[in-house]
């Protein structure tokens, strides 16, 4: 019998939770929505979905999740954040609202809504490195009021840049992964598969 996959939580306070749950299942994980601190101890990994980072911040404070998640991520829980989730994993923000807090974990400065108004939403083919698969073809990436990585520490590996702007849009620091785009919205599962592999290697 095939061993059951790792248990990966999707932070279900706000954002595109069902899409991540489905993508994780397709990538071989057991995916569960989480919204309370007592649900966190069962997890091998965590996904922070796209949505709105200011709302994720406020709701995580209201649901007593901010401090527990900060601690878990700092102590090595693998995490993957897409778009607003990337913002939540940043140690530093540019263009955050006053007082806006993140879970942190990745030594980077992320600029919110960085791609500007004319291109609030767009799609772009991204060539990614470090996917750990033979399929190195371009990945169709969906950007929705997306951030970019403005500065990254030396331990942060750049996995991909957006071609038109040359901006960093996919990074990895150890067991932490972040994309400015939404791989949960397209059928290509390589990002979720990479994250499931990271989680497996960690357990
Ligand atoms: N602009 C949003 C924010 O600041 C992110 C958008 C998204 O997740 N699609 O959180």
């Amino acid at each position: 019998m095939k061993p059951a996959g790792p248990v990966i939580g999707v932070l279900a306070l706000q954002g595109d939770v069902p899409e991540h749950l489905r993508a994780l299942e397709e990538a071989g994980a057991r995916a569960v929505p989480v919204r309370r601190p007592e649900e966190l101890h069962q997890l091998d990994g965590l996904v922070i979905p796209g949505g709105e980072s200011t709302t994720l911040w406020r709701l995580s404070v209201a649901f007593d999740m901010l401090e527990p998640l900060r601690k878990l991520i700092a102590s090595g829980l693998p995490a993957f954040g897409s778009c607003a989730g990337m913002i939540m994993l940043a140690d530093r923000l540019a263009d955050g609202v006053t007082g806006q807090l993140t879970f942190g974990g990745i030594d980077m400065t992320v600029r919110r809504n960085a791609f500007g108004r004319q291109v609030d939403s767009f799609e772009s083919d991204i060539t990614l490195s470090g996917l750990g698969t033979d399929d190195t073809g371009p990945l169709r990436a969906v950007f929705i009021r997306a951030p970019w990585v403005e500065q990254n520490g030396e331990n942060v590996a750049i996995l991909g840049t957006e071609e038109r702007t040359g901006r960093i849009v996919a990074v990895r620091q150890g067991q932490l992964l972040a994309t400015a785009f939404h791989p949960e919205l397209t059928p290509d599962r390589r990002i979720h598969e990479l994250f499931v592999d990271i989680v497996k290697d960690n357990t």
Side-chain angles (χ1 to χ4, degrees), residues 86 105-108 127-131 149 151-161 167-180 191 194 198:
M86 169 185 256
I106 302 184
D107 178 11
M108 62 179 174
T127 301
L128 293 163
S129 58
L131 283 179
V149 178
Q151 179 273 336
N152 60 293
E154 57 185 20
N155 293 328
V156 179
I158 297 168
L159 303 191
T161 53
R167 293 293 183 167
I168 303 166
V169 292
V171 292
R172 176 176 175 180
Q173 180 184 314
Q175 74 289 356
L176 302 176
L177 180 67
T179 62
I191 297 277
L194 170 63
I198 291 172

Side-chain angles (χ1 to χ4, degrees), residues 22-197:
R22 197 172 317 123
L24 286 166
E25 293 280 344
E26 285 170 12
R30 287 176 287 159
V32 289
V34 291
R35 53 177 71 80
R36 283 193 292 272
E38 55 273 22
E39 292 166 335
L40 297 175
H41 69 270
Q42 50 163 347
L43 302 181
D44 300 316
L46 178 77
V47 166
I48 306 161
E52 170 52 49
S53 60
T54 53
T55 307
L56 282 173
W57 155 51
R58 291 196 173 98
L59 287 178
S60 64
V61 171
F63 280 71
D64 290 325
M65 292 284 265
L66 187 82
E67 280 310 317
L69 282 176
R70 278 186 159 184
K71 285 196 185 116
L72 274 173
I73 292 166
S75 65
L77 180 74
F80 163 44
S82 64
C83 202
M86 169 185 256
I87 296 170
M88 294 306 292
L89 285 175
D91 280 349
R92 296 169 298 280
L93 291 188
D95 258 20
V97 303
T98 307
Q100 182 172 357
L101 298 173
T102 66
F103 303 135
I106 302 184
D107 178 11
M108 62 179 174
T109 305
V110 166
R111 179 170 294 279
R112 293 178 59 231
N113 304 327
F115 284 95
R117 266 198 201 152
Q118 278 100 340
V119 284
D120 264 350
S121 298
F122 63 99
E123 293 187 16
S124 181
D125 282 334
I126 309 284
T127 301
L128 293 163
S129 58
L131 283 179
T133 150
D134 292 339
D135 180 0
T136 53
L139 181 137
R140 191 77 183 156
V142 176
F143 293 84
I144 304 168
R145 290 177 61 74
W148 66 43
V149 178
E150 200 141 290
Q151 179 273 336
N152 60 293
E154 57 185 20
N155 293 328
V156 179
I158 297 168
L159 303 191
T161 53
E162 199 277 320
E163 213 166 85
R164 187 178 48 84
T165 56
R167 293 293 183 167
I168 303 166
V169 292
V171 292
R172 176 176 175 180
Q173 180 184 314
Q175 74 289 356
L176 302 176
L177 180 67
T179 62
F181 51 90
H182 291 267
E184 69 281 11
L185 298 183
T186 45
D188 193 324
R189 283 293 153 258
R190 284 177 290 170
I191 297 277
H192 286 83
E193 283 164 4
L194 170 63
F195 184 57
V196 171
D197 283 345

